[in-house]
Amino acid sequence: MNNKYKTNNSNHKRTKVETILWAGFLGGTLDALAGITVYWLILGRMNIIQVLQWIASGVFGKQAFNGGLAMALVGNILHYTIAYAVTIAYFFAASYLPQLRKNSTIIGLLFGLLIWIIMNIVILPLSNVPPMPFEPLVAAMGISWHMLLVGLPIVRIINKYFDNQ
């Protein structure tokens, strides 16, 4: 049976762009789902729209919470912009520092920790996000999900790209 539409994706090597797009999308999506799960379902502090508005508040301040779905969309765009920025940063770091490609699990977990540290210690305090008190349990959840659901998948996908070269 000859089917011109049948493809064998197991032999497909991703391009640099495909790799970055997939890694950034997966890391960004898992991060968003974790944030929604923690802040809405576990802590009951913000619904999905408010979580996205909170992200938009980094640029627009408290006004973001009055911006409805439009501001939630802006928050979503900002969220994925950050996810792709960290993905691109790791891709270029790994292309110049092959030692980053040696142990994807450890490097991925450390990269996720680094993302959380930079976002929470540097970026958020410099943004317009309304200040929130430090809560050790919330910080532990954030660190955990950034390590497991953001850093690890991004690093594994990108390191697999380099392994296939």
Side-chain angles (χ1 to χ4, degrees):
M1 182 174 167
N2 186 2
N3 184 348
K4 67 179 180 178
Y5 299 106
K6 187 176 180 180
T7 60
N8 183 355
N9 288 331
S10 64
N11 293 329
H12 174 71
K13 288 185 180 181
R14 285 193 180 114
T15 65
K16 290 177 187 180
V17 172
E18 288 172 333
T19 300
I20 291 168
L21 288 174
W22 173 236
F25 174 78
L26 184 61
T29 300
L30 292 173
D31 184 26
L33 290 172
I36 290 165
T37 299
V38 168
Y39 286 99
W40 182 32
L41 298 176
I42 295 173
L43 299 175
R45 293 183 184 173
M46 294 185 261
N47 64 37
I48 295 169
I49 300 301
Q50 292 167 325
V51 169
L52 295 170
Q53 290 170 334
W54 182 84
I55 296 167
S57 75
V59 174
F60 297 97
K62 291 181 182 179
Q63 294 173 327
F65 295 101
N66 298 322
L69 286 176
M71 201 54 69
L73 178 61
V74 170
N76 196 45
I77 292 167
L78 291 170
H79 172 75
Y80 278 100
T81 300
I82 294 165
Y84 281 112
V86 300
T87 301
I88 291 167
Y90 180 78
F91 185 93
F92 284 107
S95 68
Y96 289 105
L97 300 168
Q99 40 296 29
L100 292 177
R101 304 190 309 250
K102 298 276 189 230
N103 189 328
S104 293
T105 301
I106 292 172
I107 297 299
L109 294 172
L110 291 173
F111 185 58
L113 176 61
L114 180 64
I115 292 168
W116 186 90
I117 289 169
I118 290 171
M119 287 303 299
N120 285 274
I121 306 299
V122 179
I123 305 295
L124 291 178
L126 294 174
S127 77
N128 292 318
V129 170
M132 297 187 314
F134 179 78
E135 297 177 74
L137 179 59
V138 175
M141 287 188 286
I143 290 167
S144 298
W145 95 59
H146 280 85
M147 291 173 73
L148 295 169
L149 302 176
V150 182
L152 191 57
I154 289 171
V155 167
R156 287 215 168 168
I157 290 167
I158 290 172
N159 286 357
K160 183 176 180 181
Y161 166 83
F162 287 110
D163 289 345
N164 290 333
Q165 295 305 302

